[in-house]
Amino acid sequence: MRSRTRGAGAPDRPGPRPRPRRPRRRVRVAALLAGALLAGCCAGGGGDDGADGRIRLTVGVFGSFGYAEAGLYDAYTRLRPGVVVEQTSIARNENYYPQLLTHLGSGSGLADVQAVEVNNIAEITATQADRLVELGTAEGVRKEDFLPWKWAQGTTRDGRTVALGTDVGPQAVCYRKDLFARAGLPTDREEVGRLWAGDWRAYLAAGRRYRANAPAGTAFVDSASGVMAAITGSSALRFYGADGTVVYRSSPAVREAWSVAAAFATGGLTARLQQFTPAWDQGFANGTFATVSCPAWMLGYIQDKAGPAGRGRWDVAAAPRPGNWGGSFLVVPRAGRHRAEAVRLAAWLTAPAQQAVLFERRGSFPSASAAYAGPSVAGARHPYFGGAPIGAVFSRAARGVPVTILGPKDLVIAQNLADVGMLQVEQRGEPPGDAWRSAVRTIDNALDR
């Protein structure tokens, strides 16, 4: 799926994250669309909108969610011919989300189904839940079909599930086999994963081994900020405590992430690039770094930026610890005209069968873990990455992600730790302690507003 915002899942990557071009695979749509939800979605409900007697359901999203491109809206209206689905999209979440909050507050201007990015889901469940329909008890929706941590993100503290997960961004490490070979490191993806299994400091140690014999003009990793975000994205407690208080300054996960990332920056192990900039894109094309933290959606991005020359040189290994970067949700506003019909549509779009279709056609990795056993996920391999078994790699990662405590200002904290803090260590040589204090001042000022 194209670019919602990059933050999330690990809702800690600041700025816009482009959605990749998805692999094109043939899909047996009729088989995948069958199942228990079919009967539920075809029961009555809703009202008429026009002379043709059909109900117009609107879906509001940011970026390109892929539903239209994957043919899911058309498939739904074939199952339910009395319904027409119309989608509106705002390109960037930073423009979309403030409007969503305004419309929820006024109770007007809302689509029947609205998307929410994972960076924003904590604020939505904490402050807007009373304006949303309960979805956890909707017909056909089963908690056990979803990843536990994804379900928890869409659930309020009093146990109401008001958001159903769409995609997720389970993380691996993408690496250049040719650069690893020239540096004397193993290239087999299982052996590579064992280099750093279970420990981000082992990833640092692998970087030091790489540097000892690195091909000229290359670094082990793209950026220190990317390493920091990957580490916090694999931790249960990061920026907020279970009681909702801000704890990033004392969080062991944040301090570990800062320490390890600073060691990458000061140890000359990074290409000193800022992610999602033209220079970073050029780094893929030029082969200037050997590894990058790599959620499932990043595969298409690498393929686009590295181009044909990178085919067969990149591969995918397990990350030191399972983490997540990316993903979104669907909610149904109470102020919508056709709430019953909107609930049916949201439940159907996020059901395992439809998430499997979306993965096959658009590459969006399912948050419905019930889809993982099917052939379209379990058997998925990526030819650009040496036939890497991406379905198996990312399914294992997704199942291992901890239930993370999210807070309403996760993105503010993460963005300033990266841009005010770690980026200055990496690109300007600022001492890590000074950069930490600068980031803390900026964050605390922002949180006090």
Short mmCIF file of all heavy atoms in Angstrom, two decimals, residues 1-10 13-20 22 62-65 91-94 117-119 150 166-169 275-276 280 295-298 301 324-328 363-365:
data_model
loop_
_atom_site.label_atom_id
_atom_site.label_comp_id
_atom_site.label_asym_id
_atom_site.label_seq_id
_atom_site.Cartn_x
_atom_site.Cartn_y
_atom_site.Cartn_z
N MET A 1 0.84 -1.17 0.00
CA MET A 1 0.00 0.00 0.00
C MET A 1 0.88 1.23 0.00
O MET A 1 1.86 1.27 0.67
CB MET A 1 -0.86 0.01 1.24
CG MET A 1 -1.75 -1.18 1.30
SD MET A 1 -2.45 -1.36 2.90
CE MET A 1 -4.04 -0.91 2.60
N ARG A 2 0.60 2.22 -0.66
CA ARG A 2 1.44 3.39 -0.84
C ARG A 2 1.80 4.07 0.46
O ARG A 2 2.15 3.47 1.42
CB ARG A 2 0.71 4.36 -1.78
CG ARG A 2 1.62 5.38 -2.35
CD ARG A 2 1.16 6.77 -2.14
NE ARG A 2 0.97 7.12 -0.85
CZ ARG A 2 1.52 8.11 -0.17
NH1 ARG A 2 2.36 8.85 -0.64
NH2 ARG A 2 1.22 8.38 1.03
N SER A 3 1.74 5.27 0.54
CA SER A 3 2.31 5.94 1.66
C SER A 3 1.32 6.50 2.63
O SER A 3 0.88 7.58 2.48
CB SER A 3 3.18 7.08 1.20
OG SER A 3 2.46 8.22 1.06
N ARG A 4 0.99 5.84 3.63
CA ARG A 4 0.26 6.52 4.68
C ARG A 4 1.29 7.33 5.39
O ARG A 4 2.04 8.06 4.79
CB ARG A 4 -0.31 5.50 5.61
CG ARG A 4 -1.15 4.51 4.87
CD ARG A 4 -1.76 3.58 5.83
NE ARG A 4 -2.38 2.54 5.09
CZ ARG A 4 -2.62 1.39 5.57
NH1 ARG A 4 -2.30 1.09 6.77
NH2 ARG A 4 -3.20 0.50 4.87
N THR A 5 1.41 7.21 6.69
CA THR A 5 2.60 7.79 7.27
C THR A 5 3.46 6.68 7.75
O THR A 5 3.00 5.62 8.08
CB THR A 5 2.31 8.68 8.45
OG1 THR A 5 1.34 8.09 9.18
CG2 THR A 5 1.97 10.04 8.05
N ARG A 6 4.67 7.03 7.86
CA ARG A 6 5.61 6.00 8.14
C ARG A 6 5.56 5.64 9.60
O ARG A 6 5.93 4.60 10.00
CB ARG A 6 6.97 6.52 7.71
CG ARG A 6 8.07 5.69 8.05
CD ARG A 6 9.22 6.14 7.24
NE ARG A 6 10.13 6.88 8.01
CZ ARG A 6 10.16 8.17 8.09
NH1 ARG A 6 9.33 8.88 7.45
NH2 ARG A 6 11.03 8.79 8.80
N GLY A 7 5.28 6.32 10.49
CA GLY A 7 5.40 6.09 11.88
C GLY A 7 5.09 4.73 12.34
O GLY A 7 5.81 3.87 12.47
N ALA A 8 4.36 4.26 12.57
CA ALA A 8 3.65 3.34 13.26
C ALA A 8 4.10 1.97 13.44
O ALA A 8 5.11 1.54 13.11
CB ALA A 8 2.35 3.30 12.71
N GLY A 9 3.22 1.30 14.02
CA GLY A 9 3.35 -0.03 14.41
C GLY A 9 4.39 -0.05 15.46
O GLY A 9 4.18 -0.23 16.61
N ALA A 10 5.55 0.15 15.01
CA ALA A 10 6.37 0.91 15.87
C ALA A 10 5.94 2.29 15.50
O ALA A 10 6.37 2.81 14.50
CB ALA A 10 7.81 0.72 15.50
N ARG A 13 8.49 6.02 13.67
CA ARG A 13 9.27 6.54 12.57
C ARG A 13 8.61 7.83 12.13
O ARG A 13 7.47 7.82 11.71
CB ARG A 13 9.28 5.58 11.38
CG ARG A 13 9.87 4.22 11.70
CD ARG A 13 11.36 4.30 11.94
NE ARG A 13 12.06 3.15 11.46
CZ ARG A 13 12.06 1.95 12.01
NH1 ARG A 13 11.36 1.73 13.07
NH2 ARG A 13 12.76 0.98 11.50
N PRO A 14 9.26 8.98 12.25
CA PRO A 14 8.63 10.23 11.88
C PRO A 14 8.51 10.40 10.38
O PRO A 14 9.27 9.84 9.62
CB PRO A 14 9.57 11.29 12.46
CG PRO A 14 10.89 10.62 12.52
CD PRO A 14 10.62 9.17 12.77
N GLY A 15 7.52 11.19 9.98
CA GLY A 15 7.41 11.61 8.60
C GLY A 15 6.64 10.64 7.73
O GLY A 15 6.17 9.62 8.18
N PRO A 16 6.49 10.97 6.43
CA PRO A 16 5.70 10.14 5.53
C PRO A 16 6.46 8.90 5.12
O PRO A 16 7.63 8.96 4.81
CB PRO A 16 5.46 11.05 4.32
CG PRO A 16 6.62 11.98 4.33
CD PRO A 16 7.01 12.15 5.78
N ARG A 17 5.79 7.74 5.11
CA ARG A 17 6.45 6.56 4.61
C ARG A 17 5.77 6.10 3.33
O ARG A 17 4.59 5.82 3.30
CB ARG A 17 6.45 5.43 5.63
CG ARG A 17 5.11 4.80 5.89
CD ARG A 17 5.27 3.28 5.92
NE ARG A 17 4.14 2.66 6.53
CZ ARG A 17 3.25 1.97 5.85
NH1 ARG A 17 3.32 1.86 4.55
NH2 ARG A 17 2.25 1.39 6.46
N PRO A 18 6.52 6.06 2.23
CA PRO A 18 5.91 5.65 0.98
C PRO A 18 5.49 4.20 1.02
O PRO A 18 6.22 3.36 1.52
CB PRO A 18 7.03 5.87 -0.04
CG PRO A 18 7.97 6.81 0.62
CD PRO A 18 7.86 6.53 2.08
N ARG A 19 4.32 3.93 0.52
CA ARG A 19 3.93 2.55 0.34
C ARG A 19 4.59 2.02 -0.91
O ARG A 19 4.68 2.69 -1.91
CB ARG A 19 2.42 2.44 0.17
CG ARG A 19 1.67 2.74 1.42
CD ARG A 19 0.22 2.39 1.18
NE ARG A 19 -0.56 2.90 2.27
CZ ARG A 19 -0.64 2.33 3.45
NH1 ARG A 19 0.00 1.23 3.70
NH2 ARG A 19 -1.38 2.86 4.39
N PRO A 20 5.05 0.79 -0.85
CA PRO A 20 5.79 0.25 -1.99
C PRO A 20 4.88 -0.18 -3.12
O PRO A 20 3.69 -0.39 -2.94
CB PRO A 20 6.48 -0.97 -1.38
CG PRO A 20 5.55 -1.40 -0.32
CD PRO A 20 4.95 -0.14 0.25
N ARG A 22 3.46 -3.08 -5.06
CA ARG A 22 3.21 -4.42 -4.56
C ARG A 22 3.46 -5.45 -5.65
O ARG A 22 3.23 -5.22 -6.83
CB ARG A 22 1.76 -4.54 -4.09
CG ARG A 22 1.41 -3.52 -3.02
CD ARG A 22 2.38 -3.57 -1.88
NE ARG A 22 1.90 -2.75 -0.79
CZ ARG A 22 2.48 -2.66 0.37
NH1 ARG A 22 3.57 -3.32 0.63
NH2 ARG A 22 1.99 -1.89 1.31
N PHE A 62 -6.34 7.64 3.76
CA PHE A 62 -5.20 8.47 3.39
C PHE A 62 -4.27 7.62 2.53
O PHE A 62 -4.17 6.40 2.71
CB PHE A 62 -4.46 9.00 4.62
CG PHE A 62 -4.18 7.94 5.64
CD1 PHE A 62 -3.00 7.24 5.61
CD2 PHE A 62 -5.12 7.63 6.62
CE1 PHE A 62 -2.74 6.23 6.54
CE2 PHE A 62 -4.86 6.64 7.56
CZ PHE A 62 -3.67 5.94 7.52
N GLY A 63 -3.60 8.25 1.59
CA GLY A 63 -2.74 7.48 0.70
C GLY A 63 -3.58 6.53 -0.14
O GLY A 63 -4.73 6.80 -0.47
N SER A 64 -2.99 5.41 -0.49
CA SER A 64 -3.67 4.40 -1.29
C SER A 64 -3.73 3.11 -0.48
O SER A 64 -2.73 2.42 -0.34
CB SER A 64 -2.93 4.15 -2.60
OG SER A 64 -3.50 3.07 -3.29
N PHE A 65 -4.89 2.79 0.05
CA PHE A 65 -5.02 1.58 0.85
C PHE A 65 -5.03 0.32 0.00
O PHE A 65 -4.88 -0.78 0.51
CB PHE A 65 -6.28 1.66 1.71
CG PHE A 65 -6.03 2.15 3.09
CD1 PHE A 65 -5.43 3.38 3.30
CD2 PHE A 65 -6.38 1.41 4.20
CE1 PHE A 65 -5.17 3.86 4.56
CE2 PHE A 65 -6.13 1.89 5.48
CZ PHE A 65 -5.52 3.10 5.66
N ALA A 91 -3.94 12.48 0.36
CA ALA A 91 -2.65 11.87 0.08
C ALA A 91 -1.83 11.58 1.34
O ALA A 91 -1.24 10.51 1.47
CB ALA A 91 -1.84 12.74 -0.88
N ARG A 92 -1.81 12.52 2.28
CA ARG A 92 -0.91 12.38 3.42
C ARG A 92 -1.70 12.37 4.73
O ARG A 92 -2.62 13.17 4.93
CB ARG A 92 0.12 13.51 3.43
CG ARG A 92 1.00 13.53 2.19
CD ARG A 92 1.89 14.76 2.16
NE ARG A 92 2.93 14.66 3.18
CZ ARG A 92 4.12 14.11 2.97
NH1 ARG A 92 4.41 13.58 1.80
NH2 ARG A 92 5.03 14.08 3.93
N ASN A 93 -1.27 11.49 5.64
CA ASN A 93 -1.96 11.37 6.91
C ASN A 93 -1.87 12.64 7.74
O ASN A 93 -2.80 12.96 8.50
CB ASN A 93 -1.40 10.19 7.71
CG ASN A 93 -2.16 9.96 9.00
OD1 ASN A 93 -3.37 9.80 9.00
ND2 ASN A 93 -1.45 9.97 10.12
N GLU A 94 -0.78 13.39 7.63
CA GLU A 94 -0.66 14.61 8.42
C GLU A 94 -1.71 15.65 8.03
O GLU A 94 -1.99 16.56 8.81
CB GLU A 94 0.74 15.20 8.34
CG GLU A 94 1.26 15.43 6.95
CD GLU A 94 2.15 14.31 6.47
OE1 GLU A 94 1.80 13.13 6.67
OE2 GLU A 94 3.22 14.62 5.91
N GLU A 117 -4.37 5.72 11.12
CA GLU A 117 -2.99 5.23 11.11
C GLU A 117 -2.57 4.84 12.51
O GLU A 117 -3.05 5.39 13.50
CB GLU A 117 -2.08 6.34 10.56
CG GLU A 117 -0.91 5.82 9.75
CD GLU A 117 0.32 5.60 10.61
OE1 GLU A 117 0.32 6.05 11.77
OE2 GLU A 117 1.27 4.98 10.13
N VAL A 118 -1.67 3.87 12.62
CA VAL A 118 -1.31 3.33 13.93
C VAL A 118 -0.69 4.40 14.83
O VAL A 118 -0.83 4.35 16.05
CB VAL A 118 -0.38 2.11 13.79
CG1 VAL A 118 0.98 2.52 13.27
CG2 VAL A 118 -0.27 1.35 15.10
N ASN A 119 -0.01 5.39 14.25
CA ASN A 119 0.50 6.48 15.07
C ASN A 119 -0.59 7.20 15.85
O ASN A 119 -0.32 7.81 16.88
CB ASN A 119 1.21 7.51 14.18
CG ASN A 119 2.66 7.19 13.94
OD1 ASN A 119 3.35 6.72 14.83
ND2 ASN A 119 3.14 7.44 12.75
N LYS A 150 -2.21 -6.39 17.75
CA LYS A 150 -2.97 -5.51 16.85
C LYS A 150 -4.38 -5.29 17.39
O LYS A 150 -4.91 -4.17 17.35
CB LYS A 150 -3.02 -6.12 15.45
CG LYS A 150 -3.65 -5.22 14.40
CD LYS A 150 -2.77 -4.05 14.04
CE LYS A 150 -3.34 -3.27 12.85
NZ LYS A 150 -2.47 -2.16 12.43
N THR A 166 -6.04 -3.40 9.77
CA THR A 166 -5.89 -3.69 8.35
C THR A 166 -4.54 -4.39 8.16
O THR A 166 -4.41 -5.57 8.41
CB THR A 166 -5.98 -2.40 7.51
OG1 THR A 166 -4.97 -1.47 7.95
CG2 THR A 166 -7.35 -1.75 7.67
N ASP A 167 -3.50 -3.66 7.77
CA ASP A 167 -2.19 -4.25 7.57
C ASP A 167 -1.29 -4.01 8.77
O ASP A 167 -1.62 -3.23 9.67
CB ASP A 167 -1.53 -3.68 6.31
CG ASP A 167 -1.35 -2.16 6.40
OD1 ASP A 167 -2.25 -1.50 6.94
OD2 ASP A 167 -0.34 -1.66 5.90
N VAL A 168 -0.14 -4.67 8.77
CA VAL A 168 0.90 -4.45 9.77
C VAL A 168 2.24 -4.39 9.04
O VAL A 168 2.34 -4.70 7.85
CB VAL A 168 0.93 -5.57 10.84
CG1 VAL A 168 -0.27 -5.48 11.76
CG2 VAL A 168 1.02 -6.95 10.19
N GLY A 169 3.28 -4.00 9.78
CA GLY A 169 4.62 -3.92 9.20
C GLY A 169 5.64 -4.69 10.01
O GLY A 169 6.58 -4.10 10.54
N GLN A 275 16.47 8.79 6.50
CA GLN A 275 15.55 7.95 5.75
C GLN A 275 14.49 8.78 5.02
O GLN A 275 14.08 9.83 5.47
CB GLN A 275 14.88 6.94 6.69
CG GLN A 275 15.85 5.91 7.23
CD GLN A 275 15.20 4.86 8.09
OE1 GLN A 275 14.20 5.11 8.77
NE2 GLN A 275 15.74 3.65 8.07
N PHE A 276 14.09 8.26 3.86
CA PHE A 276 13.05 8.86 3.02
C PHE A 276 13.44 10.25 2.54
O PHE A 276 12.65 11.18 2.56
CB PHE A 276 11.69 8.84 3.73
CG PHE A 276 11.24 7.45 4.01
CD1 PHE A 276 11.46 6.87 5.24
CD2 PHE A 276 10.65 6.69 3.02
CE1 PHE A 276 11.09 5.56 5.48
CE2 PHE A 276 10.28 5.38 3.25
CZ PHE A 276 10.49 4.81 4.49
N TRP A 280 18.97 9.07 0.57
CA TRP A 280 18.72 7.70 1.03
C TRP A 280 18.31 6.82 -0.14
O TRP A 280 18.80 5.70 -0.30
CB TRP A 280 17.64 7.73 2.11
CG TRP A 280 17.42 6.46 2.85
CD1 TRP A 280 18.29 5.80 3.65
CD2 TRP A 280 16.18 5.71 2.91
NE1 TRP A 280 17.69 4.68 4.21
CE2 TRP A 280 16.39 4.61 3.77
CE3 TRP A 280 14.93 5.88 2.33
CZ2 TRP A 280 15.40 3.68 4.05
CZ3 TRP A 280 13.92 4.95 2.62
CH2 TRP A 280 14.17 3.87 3.46
N PRO A 295 10.58 -3.58 7.35
CA PRO A 295 9.23 -4.13 7.46
C PRO A 295 8.77 -4.68 6.12
O PRO A 295 9.37 -4.40 5.08
CB PRO A 295 8.40 -2.92 7.89
CG PRO A 295 9.16 -1.75 7.39
CD PRO A 295 10.61 -2.12 7.45
N ALA A 296 7.68 -5.42 6.14
CA ALA A 296 7.24 -6.11 4.92
C ALA A 296 7.03 -5.16 3.76
O ALA A 296 7.38 -5.46 2.61
CB ALA A 296 5.96 -6.89 5.22
N TRP A 297 6.47 -3.98 4.03
CA TRP A 297 6.18 -3.05 2.93
C TRP A 297 7.44 -2.44 2.33
O TRP A 297 7.40 -1.90 1.23
CB TRP A 297 5.24 -1.95 3.39
CG TRP A 297 5.69 -1.19 4.61
CD1 TRP A 297 5.28 -1.41 5.90
CD2 TRP A 297 6.63 -0.12 4.66
NE1 TRP A 297 5.92 -0.54 6.75
CE2 TRP A 297 6.75 0.27 6.02
CE3 TRP A 297 7.38 0.57 3.70
CZ2 TRP A 297 7.60 1.30 6.44
CZ3 TRP A 297 8.22 1.59 4.11
CH2 TRP A 297 8.32 1.95 5.46
N MET A 298 8.58 -2.54 3.03
CA MET A 298 9.82 -1.97 2.53
C MET A 298 10.35 -2.72 1.31
O MET A 298 11.14 -2.18 0.52
CB MET A 298 10.88 -1.98 3.63
CG MET A 298 12.22 -1.37 3.26
SD MET A 298 12.21 0.42 3.19
CE MET A 298 12.44 0.78 4.94
N TYR A 301 9.70 -0.91 -1.78
CA TYR A 301 10.46 0.33 -1.82
C TYR A 301 11.89 0.07 -2.27
O TYR A 301 12.44 0.76 -3.13
CB TYR A 301 10.43 0.98 -0.44
CG TYR A 301 10.92 2.41 -0.42
CD1 TYR A 301 10.03 3.46 -0.54
CD2 TYR A 301 12.27 2.70 -0.28
CE1 TYR A 301 10.46 4.77 -0.53
CE2 TYR A 301 12.72 4.01 -0.27
CZ TYR A 301 11.82 5.05 -0.40
OH TYR A 301 12.26 6.35 -0.39
N ASN A 324 7.53 -4.05 14.90
CA ASN A 324 6.57 -3.63 13.89
C ASN A 324 6.79 -2.18 13.54
O ASN A 324 7.08 -1.35 14.39
CB ASN A 324 5.14 -3.82 14.40
CG ASN A 324 4.11 -3.49 13.33
OD1 ASN A 324 3.90 -4.28 12.42
ND2 ASN A 324 3.48 -2.33 13.43
N TRP A 325 6.62 -1.87 12.25
CA TRP A 325 6.70 -0.50 11.77
C TRP A 325 5.65 -0.33 10.69
O TRP A 325 5.81 -0.77 9.57
CB TRP A 325 8.10 -0.24 11.22
CG TRP A 325 8.30 1.08 10.52
CD1 TRP A 325 7.46 2.15 10.47
CD2 TRP A 325 9.45 1.45 9.74
NE1 TRP A 325 8.00 3.16 9.72
CE2 TRP A 325 9.23 2.76 9.26
CE3 TRP A 325 10.64 0.81 9.42
CZ2 TRP A 325 10.14 3.43 8.46
CZ3 TRP A 325 11.56 1.49 8.63
CH2 TRP A 325 11.31 2.78 8.15
N GLY A 326 4.52 0.26 11.06
CA GLY A 326 3.48 0.53 10.08
C GLY A 326 2.19 -0.18 10.39
O GLY A 326 2.09 -1.04 11.27
N GLY A 327 1.16 0.18 9.65
CA GLY A 327 -0.15 -0.44 9.80
C GLY A 327 -1.24 0.56 10.10
O GLY A 327 -0.97 1.68 10.53
N SER A 328 -2.46 0.14 9.89
CA SER A 328 -3.61 1.03 10.08
C SER A 328 -4.82 0.25 10.54
O SER A 328 -4.76 -0.96 10.77
CB SER A 328 -3.92 1.78 8.77
OG SER A 328 -2.85 2.62 8.42
N GLY A 363 0.51 -6.53 -1.59
CA GLY A 363 1.66 -6.72 -0.71
C GLY A 363 1.46 -6.24 0.71
O GLY A 363 2.41 -6.20 1.48
N SER A 364 0.24 -5.87 1.09
CA SER A 364 -0.02 -5.38 2.45
C SER A 364 -0.09 -6.57 3.40
O SER A 364 -0.95 -7.44 3.26
CB SER A 364 -1.35 -4.63 2.50
OG SER A 364 -1.33 -3.54 1.61
N PHE A 365 0.81 -6.61 4.38
CA PHE A 365 0.90 -7.81 5.21
C PHE A 365 -0.27 -7.86 6.19
O PHE A 365 -0.56 -6.89 6.88
CB PHE A 365 2.22 -7.87 5.97
CG PHE A 365 2.58 -9.28 6.32
CD1 PHE A 365 3.15 -10.11 5.39
CD2 PHE A 365 2.27 -9.79 7.58
CE1 PHE A 365 3.45 -11.43 5.69
CE2 PHE A 365 2.56 -11.10 7.89
CZ PHE A 365 3.15 -11.93 6.94
#
